[in-house]
Amino acid sequence: MAQITKKNYLCNKITMIKEIIEGKIKKGENVQIKGWVRNKRSSKIGIYFLSIYDGSCFNSLQVIAGNKLKNYKSEISILTTGCSVKVVGTIQKSLGSKQKFDLFSEDIKVFGFVKNPEKYPISPKNHSFEYLRKVSHLRSRTNFIGAVMRIRNTLFQEIHNFLCKDGYIWISSPIITTLNAEGAGKMFRVSTLNLLNITKNDYKKINFSKDFFGQESFLTVSGQLNNESYACSLGKVYSFGPAFRAENSNTSRHLSEFWMVEPEAAFLNLEEIIHTSERMLKHLFNSVLEKREDDLKFFYEKVDKKIISRLEKFVYSNFVHVEYTEVVKILKRCDQNLFNTKITWGMELSVEHERYLTENYFMSPIIVKNHPKEIKAFYMRLNEDNKTVASMDVLFPKVGELIGGSQREERLNELDKRLSITGLSKKEYSWYRDLRKYGTVPHSGFGLGFDRLVICSTGIKNIRESIPFPRTPSNAKF
Amino acid sequence: MAQITKKNYLCNKITMIKEIIEGKIKKGENVQIKGWVRNKRSSKIGIYFLSIYDGSCFNSLQVIAGNKLKNYKSEISILTTGCSVKVVGTIQKSLGSKQKFDLFSEDIKVFGFVKNPEKYPISPKNHSFEYLRKVSHLRSRTNFIGAVMRIRNTLFQEIHNFLCKDGYIWISSPIITTLNAEGAGKMFRVSTLNLLNITKNDYKKINFSKDFFGQESFLTVSGQLNNESYACSLGKVYSFGPAFRAENSNTSRHLSEFWMVEPEAAFLNLEEIIHTSERMLKHLFNSVLEKREDDLKFFYEKVDKKIISRLEKFVYSNFVHVEYTEVVKILKRCDQNLFNTKITWGMELSVEHERYLTENYFMSPIIVKNHPKEIKAFYMRLNEDNKTVASMDVLFPKVGELIGGSQREERLNELDKRLSITGLSKKEYSWYRDLRKYGTVPHSGFGLGFDRLVICSTGIKNIRESIPFPRTPSNAKF
């Protein structure tokens, strides 16, 4: 920053508003900023105060535009919310109390006006989330979505940082798959077949041999099985990409296209992968607290008065670790009128059970482990009791399941038993079985729903606000 | 590392082989490693030398297994390539010349043997790439694929690091799209329709209103248009994810599913985005040289004697910047028998032209800019000559196009003209047009084919070796 001089704007250096607000530019220095008008106030003495944002941070910069500017009347006076400008001027101590620094402008260039400002979809008034989703291409201009996306970015970058430091190697697990998933959810078909001319084989089934990949193909629901292949050679790996569920669930916690990070580590057992997941989450919440203070302040003020204290609690107190069997006992001891479904050992926890445990009973994130084998996937390692598997679900207040993971079954004979009981074909999983035939190792992993993590980190209510362009049933616009 | 003591292996700390090879563990220290047998030699004096790898780096660690080990005869003597082990022992200076440190074992536990070692698909002999693709679930156990994947990871992490430092915010652009792309390539359809019961509307067209998203949906070919929406509010953004082309191209440079990083920056013009792309590439090649020395050495020795000097040249010399019009003149001056196609102004460069320019004429990466508008997409900014657009292609020796980018057309009237000439509907692109109606700004961006970058950085010949599980026509196995 030391090199910033009067000449800077001549050589076209753009100063980010973040740098000015954080006090990294000295008083009296000449800078050039580029951004958009958040709003405009006029004073009686022939001055306009423009709030300019450029996306680099939550706060806007106050620009003082005096009537000596050559386009004061022709352009500055008709600026409205959303117009784009370049401002050249000098940093000065602010006379107002809301901000430390102002930019006193010497030259303002308007790049683009807003046509028909009265019809501008992102006018400065409050808009409903439902309305904003209809203008998803413009909603990132709001304070709200801008703040979400900066926090989302911080979480994303810090996941990579954490896993890299821990020795994990990023791999791209495939998105298009021919493996019909292990009951994780309904899948989307990927095809180039001409729908007006579908051919069938002798058994009146679709002839997929003519499709692009020569067999029926889908969008992945999880990269885990592929990741296991790489963990069994590179040790610690992770994938981080989109995953898909073709479920018709119109809830505030489900997306048809969502992002998931899936670490997979050779030689780690259940307890060790639980420890990794907890360390990672604490690192992430701490990063948001440290790096996104301005955005968090907004959520504290406008969305959720408890967001900061909750994040601090996530960082500083240990999560509750509890056995599935113990959880069922706790729920059975409750007033049974609390729940629509009466719990018995062997059932999956429903949303109401999860919420009760995290929000009322423990009032904390909880890690439930060792579930009955019948309600978990075939690849989870059978425990010695022969009834439960080495599973783990991390449940959060308000959000429910944030992470699901397990130690994987590394014993070929046990895996084969589970494949057979689950009705899956040994042949289809032959490559997965190979990992157990050739130098098998104990290994574990988990999947973290990234968009739900954004909910946890902001206090927002609906997952549709956690991602730029949400895909849900009947909606893949933009 | 200072805390490593005799007690370490009791508390289950796993030391990465990388740490030992890099000399971060002191001689005489007791450690525990976990990994797989690369190979085994025996000596006449009752000792086995085991090469153990764990994926953390290219080189294996030599483990000395003496005949005092309790399972020397029962297990150590029958170990073969691919078996998985835990070794507890002491770091000592190596007596051999190939490595600095050995691990003298005190205890070796075998996790998994290789069943029928003579049939092990990844036996220590050389395998063809075609063969290895048939065992993609095991091929990361080879030195070759392991080295590619570590370099791929370094490139991936450094792209994020570079763009973050430059002020870019990562956004997830959607994978499923209803926008039928701007001629960028054939698309895969995403659907949940029952193919045995396709319904048609009155015009005998498919009734997509019953499909999952209520209209015909595809896999994205590029996140650019979505990224533009976010650049026009957050300033600098980038997406980094999978993209898809349903082209039947069985070449060594094409994948049906590939990874692409797409930065998009408000307020940058063509020259500035070219500068960004060149700085980024130099940073990436430099990172590979600095951080993946061991893996690069392997490619130098086994694949391409010029890989290191070429990467150094990429880092230290400037890329050639050249106008499309100039390139055509150069090609016209050549012996016309060199090419199958005679070049004229207005044509796209073909692969033979690109190779001649980068490998024979300039012998360098080149950035070709300002192409005729007729051969480029509608969104590129029209230049003042009214004939060319503000485009840029970065071409590399051997690989061809690595990056394609442009300054975008920010003027609504010019954009509308181009939409109309290209035969695209104003209605379908209405949201994209909105970005020009409301505070439009000059902006630019590019897309970098990540898997091709891996080719450039390793010297490998075929893009199918650059990604864990390649998807190509008729192949989406594993």
Side-chain angles (χ1 to χ4, degrees), chain A residues 390-434:
Chain A
S391 57
M392 59 92 112
D393 286 345
V394 182
L395 308 178
F396 263 68
K398 316 243 180 217
V399 179
E401 187 184 325
L402 184 62
I403 286 181
S406 69
Q407 183 165 347
R408 319 306 188 187
E409 184 57 79
E410 88 280 13
R411 298 161 297 186
L412 186 61
N413 59 335
E414 296 293 344
L415 183 69
D416 281 350
K417 277 187 219 161
R418 295 276 290 154
L419 278 171
S420 155
I421 289 168
T422 332
L424 295 168
S425 110
K426 265 193 185 182
K427 198 184 155 200
E428 198 179 2
Y429 287 89
S430 69
W431 68 264
Y432 186 71
R433 295 174 67 246
D434 276 356

Side-chain angles (χ1 to χ4, degrees), chain A residues 175-194:
Chain A
I175 306 302
I176 296 172
T177 178
T178 48
L179 200 66
N180 202 331
E182 51 340 314
K186 285 188 192 162
M187 298 175 88
F188 290 102
R189 184 186 299 107
V190 174
S191 171
T192 55
L193 287 179
N194 179 351

